[in-house]
Amino acid sequence: MKGSNFFNRVYEIVSQIPEGKVATYGQIAAMLGSPRAARIVGEAMRRTPEYLDIPCHRVISKDGTMAPGYAFGGEGKQREMLEKEGVIFKENGCVDMQRCLWRKPIMERDE
DNA sequence: GCGTTGACCTCCA
DNA sequence: CTGGAGGCCAACG
């Protein structure tokens, strides 16, 4: 396993995101050791293999916003499922990161 | 191996 | 809010 490090890593981390929590591209990229590779994380999400069952909807940008809409079928759609999972949304339409920003459990490399 | 593109991030106007 | 510019890394043609 561990074919392509980067993508595989992203998938691993994202799949570890619990319900009611969200992670940012930059955050995940930082976990991989490349805080500047947020774009790759985004591509990883875009190319998310279905068989991996990755909750890409829990991955958003740092501002608490998400992709324009070419993703899961619409931003509002994502907003609904995230809210359903327990994620809090602010009036401005962004996710309440302070409450729902997920942090990787301590015991796997530092950060 | 190069050039372009991309679900990003940050700064500045 | 919108716009441009720079930077990062990987996939695609």
Side-chain angles (χ1 to χ4, degrees), chain A residues 3-96:
Chain A
S4 313
N5 320 45
F6 223 98
F7 269 46
N8 211 303
R9 284 272 169 166
V10 177
Y11 299 142
E12 282 186 63
I13 297 174
V14 177
S15 63
Q16 285 164 56
I17 304 175
E19 296 180 19
K21 295 278 176 170
V22 293
T24 72
Y25 302 102
Q27 187 89 52
I28 296 170
M31 295 175 183
L32 299 169
S34 301
R36 265 68 211 199
R39 310 182 85 147
I40 322 301
V41 179
E43 249 202 81
M45 300 289 89
R46 187 196 190 189
R47 288 207 59 84
T48 299
E50 301 168 36
Y51 50 88
L52 289 180
D53 203 40
I54 303 295
C56 16
H57 58 269
R58 289 186 194 144
V59 187
I60 55 180
S61 28
K62 220 185 173 191
D63 295 291
T65 53
M66 40 202 139
Y70 15 83
F72 321 90
E75 304 171 63
K77 188 93 177 197
Q78 222 226 19
R79 196 157 126 193
E80 279 190 74
M81 27 204 262
L82 285 177
E83 283 191 293
K84 214 164 84 162
E85 298 202 347
V87 178
I88 313 297
F89 271 80
K90 299 196 288 190
E91 296 304 301
N92 49 331
C94 300
V95 180
D96 196 338

